[in-house]
Amino acid sequence: MKYRLMDLLACTMCKHFPLKLLVFSEREIDRKLSQEDKKPLCELYCTYKSAFTKDLDSLPPCEECIRHEIEEGMLYCESCNRWYPIIDEIPRMLPDKLRKEEDDIKFLEKYKDKIPKSILTNGVPFRLK
C-alpha cells in the first residue's frame, strides 16, 4: 500500500478522516517523481509526515514517500476504535459483517507486540480476549 493512499481513506463505518496508520513492515522501491508530478501528491493529509497538508511548513516529502510500500500494517479509526489490517500491501477495509473473526484474531496475535493495547483490548469489531 502506498502512503499517499491514506489521503483518500476514511473509516468505512463512521466515515472519520484521517485514519491512523501503524506500519509493521515496508519495502523501498527505486522510484522517482516525473517532472509533471513535482507538485504535492496528497491533497488533504500527508501520512508520511502525519499532518494535514495545510499545516506543513514546507512541501511534503513526496520524493521520499513514493519510494516506500507498506507490506504489513494496520489502519485504525480514533473515532470508533475500528481497525483494518494491511496484508500483502492491501488494506482490508471490509464492513464488520463481512470480516472473518478467525482471520482477524490471527492477525492481532501475530502483531500483538506492535499494536497498541487499546486496540488489542477494545478494538472493533474483534479484540484479543
Side-chain angles (χ1 to χ4, degrees):
M1 182 183 105
K2 294 169 179 35
Y3 278 89
R4 69 177 183 260
L5 182 59
M6 295 292 294
D7 189 42
L8 306 172
L9 298 177
C11 180
T12 60
M13 301 304 281
C14 76
K15 310 304 182 218
H16 177 78
F17 174 86
L19 296 172
K20 291 295 181 185
L21 172 67
L22 299 173
V23 178
F24 305 149
S25 66
E26 68 180 12
R27 64 188 169 98
E28 195 164 329
I29 298 170
D30 186 20
R31 184 182 296 153
K32 294 188 190 299
L33 287 175
S34 66
Q35 288 299 81
E36 301 87 53
D37 290 332
K38 290 295 181 180
K39 65 182 185 343
L41 297 173
C42 296
E43 291 180 27
L44 298 173
Y45 189 76
C46 174
T47 300
Y48 202 74
K49 284 286 201 175
S50 298
F52 283 94
T53 53
K54 65 180 173 62
D55 298 333
L56 293 173
D57 293 333
S58 59
L59 287 176
C62 299
E63 191 77 46
E64 178 69 20
C65 175
I66 65 163
R67 294 193 348 243
H68 295 271
E69 294 280 333
I70 301 161
E71 296 177 312
E72 304 286 322
M74 175 184 280
L75 304 171
Y76 71 94
C77 176
E78 291 180 306
S79 179
C80 68
N81 218 30
R82 190 164 270 99
W83 63 273
Y84 307 95
I86 300 169
I87 303 170
D88 295 329
E89 299 181 15
I90 300 169
R92 312 289 167 98
M93 297 185 69
L94 296 171
D96 295 352
K97 64 184 178 184
L98 296 178
R99 293 176 68 168
K100 295 181 181 169
E101 182 174 7
E102 183 179 333
D103 293 344
D104 281 357
I105 296 296
K106 283 181 186 176
F107 181 87
L108 290 174
E109 284 288 344
K110 180 177 180 180
Y111 293 108
K112 67 183 174 188
D113 295 336
K114 297 179 179 188
I115 298 172
K117 186 173 178 153
S118 63
I119 296 171
L120 293 174
T121 58
N122 299 313
V124 176
F126 308 111
R127 65 196 69 67
L128 294 181
K129 296 177 170 77

